[in-house]
Amino acid sequence: MLIHIPKILTAEQVTHVRAELDKAEWADGRNTAGYLSQRVKDNTQVPDMHPVGKQLGQMILGILEKHPLFTSAALPLKVVPPLFNRYTGNQNYGRHVDGAIRPVAGTPFRVRTDLSATLFLTAPEDYDGGELVIEDTFGPRRIKLPAGDMVLYPGTSVHHVEPVTRGTRLASFFWIQSMVRDDTQRTLLFNLDTSIQQLGRDVPQHPAVVQLAGVYHNLLRLWADA
Ligand code: NI
């Protein structure tokens, strides 16, 4: 399942993040790519342990923790602290699959990358190209979102970033290990949760709302690891 989560960051927060990123030193993105991806990756990133990146990453994690749509869609168990990348002057990232297991820099912890996330930090009108293209069963999906918006997609997908032919594309990217590792089960739970919430708003007194909430939680109990 591919989900667009609008307005993770407000316009003010986007401005703040971009101003902070201006102060960071950027490094070759190949430093963090696996053997195969190195050959197709051409961008720059704020290094894992850079204080600016760490601080901004923590800020984004704090926002995600309180975000109901993100929580319902991802059912997060562990989140890799967000990283930041930049593409300019025809830079791009060719077709690749993200590694299944991601170490968390500076810790002994590892995260299974059930879900990938890209949080856009540049307004689409400020650059050409730079679409995140995700190959799913319906064919390629081309994603280019407003600054502050995020896309969540299965970590299993083949994807690439188109060359940025004008301007600069800034984004934050990270991975999530979900309590429910299977995308089909997670999607079912998300759709059920969304329906229950809608019923809860429209017919709050209906006894089936509680019953359905029970079904949701009992499925979660069956499928989740916490
Ligand atoms: Ni990737």
Side-chain angles (χ1 to χ4, degrees):
M1 179 177 50
L2 224 97
I3 305 168
H4 171 190
I5 304 183
K7 296 190 170 65
I8 292 279
L9 300 181
T10 63
E12 293 73 34
Q13 286 167 326
V14 170
T15 306
H16 169 72
V17 170
R18 292 176 51 110
E20 289 295 304
L21 288 177
D22 271 347
K23 300 179 196 161
E25 298 87 36
W26 293 73
D28 192 329
R30 277 178 278 249
N31 295 343
T32 59
Y35 167 70
L36 274 176
S37 300
Q38 281 188 359
R39 289 192 262 171
V40 294
K41 187 173 185 182
D42 179 18
N43 67 5
T44 50
Q45 286 176 199
V46 178
D48 277 0
M49 300 299 283
H50 194 291
V52 167
K54 279 175 87 169
Q55 190 203 351
L56 295 175
Q58 288 306 316
M59 177 194 131
I60 293 170
L61 284 181
I63 291 167
L64 292 174
E65 265 170 32
K66 292 181 233 130
H67 199 287
L69 182 55
F70 170 76
T71 305
S72 171
L75 296 169
L77 179 61
K78 296 190 260 180
V79 184
V80 175
L83 298 169
F84 299 87
N85 61 18
R86 184 172 68 183
Y87 295 81
T88 191
N90 272 317
Q91 284 183 314
N92 67 93
Y93 194 165
R95 291 178 78 236
H96 67 280
V97 181
D98 296 340
I101 305 289
R102 186 86 200 177
V104 178
T107 78
F109 302 113
R110 286 186 280 259
V111 173
R112 190 184 63 229
T113 58
D114 298 325
L115 288 157
S116 299
T118 297
L119 169 58
F120 288 76
L121 295 171
T122 306
E125 57 273 22
D126 290 347
Y127 62 103
D128 290 334
E131 290 86 355
L132 168 65
V133 182
I134 300 165
E135 301 176 19
D136 80 1
T137 46
F138 296 103
R141 304 276 299 265
R142 301 172 65 80
I143 317 284
K144 188 169 183 174
L145 300 178
D149 286 18
M150 187 169 92
V151 61
L152 260 185
Y153 59 102
T156 50
S157 326
V158 175
H159 56 278
H160 69 271
V161 177
E162 297 271 280
V164 172
T165 55
R166 177 184 63 90
T168 298
R169 173 198 194 268
L170 282 174
S172 175
F173 64 102
F174 52 96
W175 295 271
I176 299 116
Q177 179 170 334
S178 177
M179 291 186 283
V180 176
R181 76 192 290 170
D182 182 82
D183 187 61
T184 310
Q185 292 175 338
R186 204 184 318 110
T187 303
L188 278 171
L189 287 168
F190 176 61
N191 290 336
L192 182 57
D193 188 24
T194 308
S195 310
I196 293 167
Q197 287 185 37
Q198 202 177 338
L199 283 175
R201 278 192 301 272
D202 294 353
V203 278
Q205 303 308 327
H206 200 292
V209 173
V210 175
Q211 211 161 1
L212 283 168
V215 171
Y216 174 84
H217 283 284
N218 290 328
L219 283 174
L220 191 58
R221 229 184 304 275
L222 270 181
W223 292 338
D225 290 302

